[in-house]
Amino acid sequence: MPHLDELTTLDGALPHPAVNDLCTQVKSGEINRRQFLRTAALLGITAASASTFLGSALLGNSAHAADAILPRQGGSLRFACAIQEIQDPMLITWIEASNLLRNSLEYLTWVDADNITHPYLAESWSPSNDLKTWTFNLRQDVKWSNGDTFNVEDVQHNIERWIAADSKSVNRTAFQDISAFEKLGDFQFRLVLKRPMLAIPEMLNAFTCAIVHRSFKAGDDWAKNPLGTGPFKLVSFAVNKQATFAKRADYWRKPANLDELRYVDMGTDISTHLAALQAGQVDVLYRVTVAELDLAKRLPGAQLLTCKSAQTVVMRMACDQKPFDDLRIRKAVVLCADNAQMLKIAYRGMGTLGEDHHVAPSHPEYFPLPKRTRDVAGAKKLLAEAGHPNGIDIDLIVGNTQGRYEQDCAQILQQNCAEAGIRINLKVIPATQYWPIWNKAAFSLTYWAHRPLGVMSLELAYRSGAAWNESHYSDPAFDAALDKAMGIIDPKQRALAMESVEKILQDACVTVQPFWGDKFTAASKKVQGFKVHPSDFYPMDEVWLSA
């Protein structure tokens, strides 16, 4: 096998010292190939170098790998997708909006379907030994659609907007530990952090991290002046109706295969989307839910696409609102929940069982905790101790934002809890009414999208004061344990540190998090080069239509 010295970082610098240990561990079988690739990529090791070291082709697909068949050029593709407001890219709250944006706006990094991080607008990066200083080199051949050269000023402008004291973006929480942005040249910068963080390159691919032009300011509407570095340019946009993008012939990389992308909002009924696909009115669907799987499989001329994902739903309890400010009440609800029943019935078993701590077995830092068992008698005892010997009435709000399976989960929990005298009044409201109150309700069900690292969700949803901390959970011990885990490079040691993180959150009984659902979508068989992604991130420059 090659020696450590034969591995090179993305910018040709000496590799981080921890890479030596990773090499030893993968050689001895202590960590697997995917763990090595994921961690080495975060530390700035080139994909080619890592692949050579492993003696085989790199696991997973690059975001821009060439198709084996020569793609057909031209044509217009129709994509059924919600058309959501995209006024300020850093303020979007849903992935559909980011999929519109990513046709024109790009990211510093790209995380593929195997959770391996690749260069994008950032050509290379390297961390300091303590993971508190990160140096990034930008591509020097990128042009904005107005002809400007993409440079470090664009990146500085974006990051400073994200972390500003008055920022309303979730990025303010995610990147709150950036203490300084240092411009080292026109195409090089350094991030100085308050604490060690291994996940910085991966975090820069979050859907709220699209890089806007340095002229963009608060209050601007990007859709009205859609400057971008991406392969398409926005030509028309109407919320809840449609969005059209045209190919950029002057794109800095190989121009897109398609001439045009037309996104069409067809409402929330997925069966209507499938009917439109069958009728040839659209070519690609953003998603298919578990309820439509049988129908999707039967469609002639269509292909069903699926993959494992760390997407989930959480039935979370606001820790600062009665009655959930009492741990005994929260624990009683969790002890009643039959997560396996929810997975089997509500999601047809198409997923992985959850453990009520929002870290999935597919996450590289996951630590397996002992399986929790239902305990209705224990739940009744806790209710009595909390002053509710005759049971308690609580409301659970559901918006069915991803489909009817959300309501099915809630109804199963309702039946589970009734056994202990917890009487759940299920309030089902339209998705458009749910999102304005999703982080305010005392007890509600929220969908959380896939993220390549469990700690990314924990940072956003459970850290004290986090922007998307809908349960209002706050525990200094949890924050400290999360800090520790995020600064560890060794995959085995990081997983060991996550034991404490997961256990603290599980014991706090903040959520019933029943399962991790597989992801599904469908497309016409004419659509080539379209790859399902666990995060629903769909770059369209390599997609093409066969005759």
Side-chain angles (χ1 to χ4, degrees):
M1 280 190 175
H3 186 265
L4 170 65
D5 294 340
E6 296 178 58
L7 292 173
T8 58
T9 63
L10 295 165
D11 58 2
L14 291 175
H16 189 284
V19 175
N20 195 21
D21 293 332
L22 293 172
C23 292
T24 301
Q25 289 178 42
V26 74
K27 182 178 178 180
S28 66
E30 295 177 70
I31 62 175
N32 61 34
R33 185 167 173 264
R34 184 174 297 185
Q35 288 174 312
F36 173 82
L37 290 171
R38 283 173 172 170
T39 310
L42 290 175
L43 294 172
I45 295 297
T46 63
S49 181
S51 180
T52 299
F53 176 81
L54 292 174
S56 58
L58 182 65
L59 176 68
N61 297 313
S62 165
H64 309 289
D67 289 293
I69 302 174
L70 188 65
R72 178 172 173 262
Q73 299 299 299
S76 176
L77 181 141
R78 301 155 299 176
F79 200 130
C81 179
I83 309 299
Q84 300 167 329
E85 184 177 287
I86 53 175
Q87 181 173 333
D88 189 337
M90 77 172 189
L91 297 179
I92 60 174
T93 57
W94 212 240
I95 296 175
E96 285 95 330
S98 82
N99 268 323
L100 298 179
L101 288 168
R102 70 179 63 249
N103 292 305
S104 295
L105 296 177
E106 298 179 306
Y107 296 73
L108 291 172
T109 62
W110 166 258
V111 180
D112 69 19
D114 293 305
N115 288 354
I116 297 171
T117 306
H118 301 271
Y120 201 169
L121 291 177
E123 188 174 52
S124 62
W125 56 85
S126 56
S128 60
N129 290 359
D130 62 2
L131 301 181
K132 294 173 71 174
T133 303
W134 289 79
T135 302
F136 286 81
N137 297 294
L138 302 176
R139 294 192 62 96
Q140 299 184 31
D141 55 351
V142 179
K143 295 288 185 180
W144 290 94
S145 52
N146 67 351
D148 289 348
T149 297
F150 165 76
N151 60 34
V152 73
E153 292 182 13
D154 295 301
V155 179
Q156 182 172 9
H157 175 69
N158 279 266
I159 292 180
E160 288 180 348
R161 288 187 72 232
W162 297 347
I163 65 175
D166 60 350
S167 171
K168 303 299 183 184
S169 173
V170 67
N171 294 346
R172 180 181 58 81
T173 296
F175 298 102
Q176 63 182 334
D177 288 298
I178 295 177
S179 61
F181 181 103
E182 298 177 357
K183 178 180 176 182
L184 304 179
D186 289 342
F187 300 98
Q188 187 180 61
F189 68 92
R190 180 179 294 141
L191 295 178
V192 181
L193 310 179
K194 300 174 186 174
R195 61 184 172 99
M197 294 180 70
L198 174 64
I200 282 292
E202 211 149 20
M203 292 164 64
L204 289 168
N205 186 230
F207 69 85
T208 50
C209 293
I211 301 297
V212 297
H213 190 272
R214 51 190 174 271
S215 64
F216 189 93
K217 60 185 184 300
D220 286 353
D221 186 342
W222 181 83
K224 293 180 179 178
N225 184 28
L227 292 178
T229 59
F232 296 90
K233 182 177 177 66
L234 180 67
V235 294
S236 69
F237 178 79
V239 175
N240 298 327
K241 294 181 180 178
Q242 61 80 31
T244 303
F245 293 81
K247 171 181 177 176
R248 275 185 62 193
D250 61 344
Y251 181 44
W252 60 273
R253 238 186 359 238
K254 182 176 75 70
N257 298 315
L258 294 164
D259 289 333
E260 182 184 63
L261 297 171
R262 292 168 54 200
Y263 291 83
V264 184
D265 194 321
M266 305 187 71
T268 59
D269 185 354
I270 305 299
S271 61
T272 301
H273 301 188
L274 284 166
L277 180 63
Q278 182 178 12
Q281 297 170 349
V282 296
D283 303 300
V284 178
L285 306 187
Y286 174 73
R287 71 166 178 267
V288 171
T289 76
V290 70
E292 297 88 23
L293 278 184
D294 291 338
L295 176 58
K297 291 175 182 177
R298 293 195 301 267
L299 286 186
Q303 50 184 322
L304 177 66
L305 306 172
T306 183
C307 70
K308 286 292 182 183
S309 173
Q311 64 175 353
T312 187
V313 292
V314 297
M315 287 168 275
R316 94 299 180 279
M317 295 162 273
C319 300
D320 59 349
Q321 297 186 41
K322 292 186 179 300
F324 305 109
D325 55 349
D326 189 328
L327 173 59
R328 294 169 296 187
I329 300 296
R330 301 199 305 272
K331 189 172 183 178
V333 171
V334 172
L335 287 177
C336 287
D338 190 334
N339 290 346
Q341 186 182 33
M342 290 183 228
L343 173 59
K344 180 180 179 180
I345 297 175
Y347 215 73
R348 296 177 55 178
M350 304 291 288
T352 305
L353 200 61
E355 300 173 354
D356 305 323
H357 55 62
H358 215 137
V359 182
S362 61
H363 285 137
E365 70 274 43
Y366 167 78
F367 184 90
L369 296 180
K371 300 302 180 186
R372 175 181 281 169
T373 57
R374 291 191 72 214
D375 185 358
V376 175
K380 289 180 178 179
K381 182 179 179 182
L382 287 167
L383 288 176
E385 291 175 0
H388 302 280
N390 299 317
I392 189 173
D393 296 281
I394 55 178
D395 293 336
L396 173 57
I397 300 175
V398 179
N400 284 340
T401 61
Q402 301 297 298
R404 171 61 192 245
Y405 79 85
E406 294 184 4
Q407 185 175 336
D408 294 340
C409 286
Q411 288 176 331
I412 293 170
L413 181 67
Q414 182 184 48
Q415 296 162 8
N416 294 160
C417 287
E419 297 177 41
I422 302 174
R423 297 173 291 273
I424 294 178
N425 176 32
L426 195 58
K427 293 187 172 182
V428 181
I429 63 176
T432 53
Q433 295 179 22
Y434 182 77
W435 289 122
I437 56 93
W438 75 281
N439 59 353
K440 302 178 181 66
F443 191 23
S444 65
L445 184 150
T446 301
Y447 168 82
W448 278 81
H450 168 96
R451 285 174 174 80
L453 295 175
V455 293
M456 295 170 73
S457 295
L458 301 184
E459 278 280 318
L460 294 172
Y462 306 101
R463 181 180 288 281
S464 300
W468 285 353
N469 186 338
E470 57 178 329
S471 62
H472 311 156
Y473 173 68
S474 180
D475 183 351
F478 172 83
D479 296 343
L482 185 57
D483 286 346
K484 178 181 177 181
M486 292 188 74
I488 297 175
I489 296 174
D490 185 307
K492 303 194 311 322
Q493 295 303 315
R494 188 165 68 250
L496 290 174
M498 285 298 292
E499 178 183 13
S500 176
V501 176
E502 295 172 8
K503 190 70 167 60
I504 291 171
L505 193 57
Q506 191 183 71
D507 288 347
C509 299
V510 178
T511 72
V512 174
Q513 190 254 311
F515 56 79
W516 305 94
D518 295 351
K519 189 166 289 297
F520 320 102
T521 191
S524 165
K525 289 182 179 178
K526 295 190 303 181
V527 176
Q528 306 294 321
F530 182 81
K531 302 178 179 68
V532 66
H533 192 284
S535 294
D536 288 329
F537 291 174
Y538 296 127
M540 300 298 290
D541 53 316
E542 299 225 357
V543 177
W544 55 284
L545 294 170
S546 62

